[in-house]
Amino acid sequence: MGQVRVVEASVHRFRFELDKPFRIAIGFTKVKEEIVVRLVDNAGNIGWGEASPSPIILGSTPDTVLAALDVLIPTILGEDPRRLHYLVDRMDRVLLDHAPAKAALDMALHDLVGQVTGEPVWRLLGGSRAEPVDTDFTVGIDTPEIMAAEAEALVAAGFRTIKVKVGEAPRLDLDRVRRIRDAVGDNVALRIDANQGWTRAEAVWALVRMADYAIQFVEQPVAAEDIEGLAWVRQRSPIPVMADEAVHSVADALRVVQAEAADYVNIKLMKAGGLRRAVEIATICAAAGVPNMIGGMVESNLSATAAVHFALAEGNVVFRDLDIGERPETQLVAEGGSYIEAGQQLLADRDSPGFGFRRIREEWLVPVKTYRFGEGGEREGSIAA
Ligand code: MN
């Protein structure tokens, strides 16, 4: 296939508004703005990626993602996208943190390598097959009555696992869990996510009582930085504990498993900085005997598709929280990619190259900036070579 070079990178804003705000213990989302990256190589192949900023979870806004991309894109331009590991390491060497921006570029590079090689990303990552995978669906914080009604509707729509947002007040949270279990019956799996909302003592108080309702696991009962607290709760909880906000990076994963602070770790591409780092986190967790979940932020179905490819390839991922990109207003991918049907995430075409996007709704994108690799090797855009 000869020389392959990334010759153009363009960045775009993509704004959408949810019909119902999504509420968790530490805040809510109504309007969301994603940053979408499009890479082009010298043969005209295109690779797509998405950054999903979150001020409270990821410390990022759309503007910080754009500023980070301004530093990162010059390290990608002119390079062979097949040097994935090298390029991802290089991004970490020129800029600390800013995982969502790195995730967008890592994703776009994977999609591009898929186009260059003709392989789907799940196979590039070493996956053995691409069967549909079950996913949960999340019920956001609301009154116990409304949450129970929403859970019932999800079961009617085919979901066999419901994730319940809690972490507001232990007594009210217990009522939420009780009413939802009553509404959905015993044949539906329930998992809960406190999003750092409880103190250590509140967590143990609630979890001991919630054990009556057959809860699969609890995500992030206490503050993200409180690794000792996570371990403390885990020792006293009858319900297994999953680390989410406590594990962003590969180093975080190592710290949490060494502290024996979690039974499970939730991986998200936006926390990890993309597929490459997600694989590394899964490897550390697998070595420690800690299975993973793959989850996401409030994202479009573009980055949701990347998460599905990761789920298909990574054997240590045993739980899927991939209720991402299912709302019409988040469906930036018009044809191809992944989609949800009857509680499962499926690829539209398991053998199409890269992430398998056939049509992106480019009319929804607001162009911000285009960077080009020039004939003489000089870099255009705001950052000099
Ligand atoms: Mn979570």
Side-chain angles (χ1 to χ4, degrees):
M1 57 195 73
Q3 194 189 47
V4 182
R5 270 173 190 270
V6 178
V7 297
E8 187 186 297
S10 53
V11 296
H12 318 258
R13 293 178 189 264
F14 167 48
R15 189 177 179 278
F16 60 84
E17 187 169 348
L18 303 176
D19 48 356
K20 180 187 175 182
F22 180 61
R23 194 173 295 276
I24 67 173
I26 50 177
F28 73 93
T29 302
K30 171 77 174 157
V31 175
K32 192 73 206 291
E33 191 172 82
E34 309 293 275
I35 301 299
V36 176
V37 176
R38 180 182 181 268
L39 297 180
V40 185
D41 73 7
N42 54 324
N45 293 305
I46 293 170
W48 291 94
E50 173 177 349
S52 188
S54 162
I56 54 172
I57 306 274
L58 300 164
S60 59
T61 67
D63 287 339
T64 68
V65 170
L66 292 172
L69 288 171
D70 219 33
V71 177
L72 296 169
I73 285 174
T75 69
I76 303 293
L77 281 179
E79 293 292 334
D80 185 334
R82 292 171 298 182
R83 304 171 86 190
L84 264 168
H85 202 168
Y86 164 78
L87 291 174
V88 169
D89 284 349
R90 192 160 151 174
M91 286 200 280
D92 280 348
R93 277 201 298 275
V94 299
L95 184 67
L96 185 69
D97 298 334
H98 294 279
K102 290 171 182 172
L105 287 173
D106 164 286
M107 248 178 243
L109 286 167
H110 277 84
D111 192 26
L112 191 53
V113 174
Q115 308 307 321
V116 170
T117 61
E119 297 289 349
V121 170
W122 66 265
R123 197 179 285 136
L124 287 177
L125 294 174
S128 61
R129 61 187 183 281
E131 301 303 319
V133 287
D134 65 278
T135 173
D136 65 21
F137 202 97
T138 302
V139 174
I141 286 185
D142 209 319
T143 65
E145 295 77 12
I146 290 173
M147 290 174 75
E150 287 183 3
E152 249 185 309
L154 289 167
V155 172
F159 291 94
R160 308 307 301 163
T161 306
I162 306 293
K163 172 165 154 177
V164 181
K165 289 292 190 182
V166 293
E168 199 181 30
R171 227 169 261 283
L172 185 56
D173 291 331
L174 181 61
D175 196 32
R176 291 182 165 111
V177 166
R178 181 190 299 127
R179 280 170 189 254
I180 290 171
R181 175 54 81 198
D182 285 349
V184 301
D186 292 335
N187 295 325
V188 171
L190 291 183
R191 48 185 71 155
I192 60 173
D193 187 354
N195 285 111
Q196 316 176 55
W198 292 327
T199 64
R200 296 180 184 191
E202 284 173 341
V204 172
W205 185 93
L207 294 169
V208 164
R209 285 159 183 81
M210 287 179 183
D212 290 345
Y213 304 101
I215 304 301
Q216 217 175 18
F217 56 78
V218 57
E219 270 180 67
Q220 203 60 46
V222 296
E225 62 275 14
D226 189 13
I227 305 297
E228 285 175 1
L230 198 63
W232 189 90
V233 170
R234 184 191 175 210
Q235 281 162 13
R236 290 158 181 79
S237 170
I239 296 172
V241 170
M242 178 181 284
D244 181 4
E245 290 96 316
V247 176
H248 288 240
S249 66
V250 180
D252 291 341
L254 188 59
R255 205 171 299 126
V256 162
V257 301
Q258 281 180 331
E260 297 185 32
D263 296 283
Y264 306 120
V265 168
N266 186 357
I267 298 176
K268 292 173 182 166
L269 300 181
M270 295 303 155
K271 291 188 298 174
L275 294 154
R276 178 80 226 165
R277 296 296 183 228
V279 167
E280 292 170 358
I281 291 171
T283 304
I284 285 173
C285 291
V290 173
N292 295 120
M293 179 157 83
I294 174 71
M297 312 298 294
V298 177
E299 304 170 22
S300 89
N301 61 343
L302 194 159
S303 48
T305 300
V308 170
H309 279 263
F310 173 72
L312 293 173
E314 180 50 60
N316 202 49
V317 170
V318 301
F319 303 119
R320 288 155 299 262
D321 178 21
L322 294 174
D323 55 346
I324 315 168
E326 92 299 346
R327 303 178 198 232
E329 63 271 30
T330 67
Q331 289 178 1
L332 190 55
V333 182
E335 291 168 38
S338 70
Y339 63 98
I340 294 180
E341 193 175 272
Q344 294 190 306
Q345 274 276 11
L346 301 89
L347 294 180
D349 178 356
R350 69 181 77 180
D351 290 317
S352 63
F355 294 130
F357 303 138
R358 285 198 296 271
R359 188 168 73 83
I360 303 287
R361 290 191 168 97
E362 294 191 53
E363 65 275 16
W364 286 4
L365 299 177
V366 178
V368 176
K369 194 169 180 178
T370 298
Y371 304 75
R372 288 191 185 84
F373 184 69
E375 290 290 318
E378 77 278 8
R379 282 153 188 169
E380 298 172 13
S382 73
I383 298 282

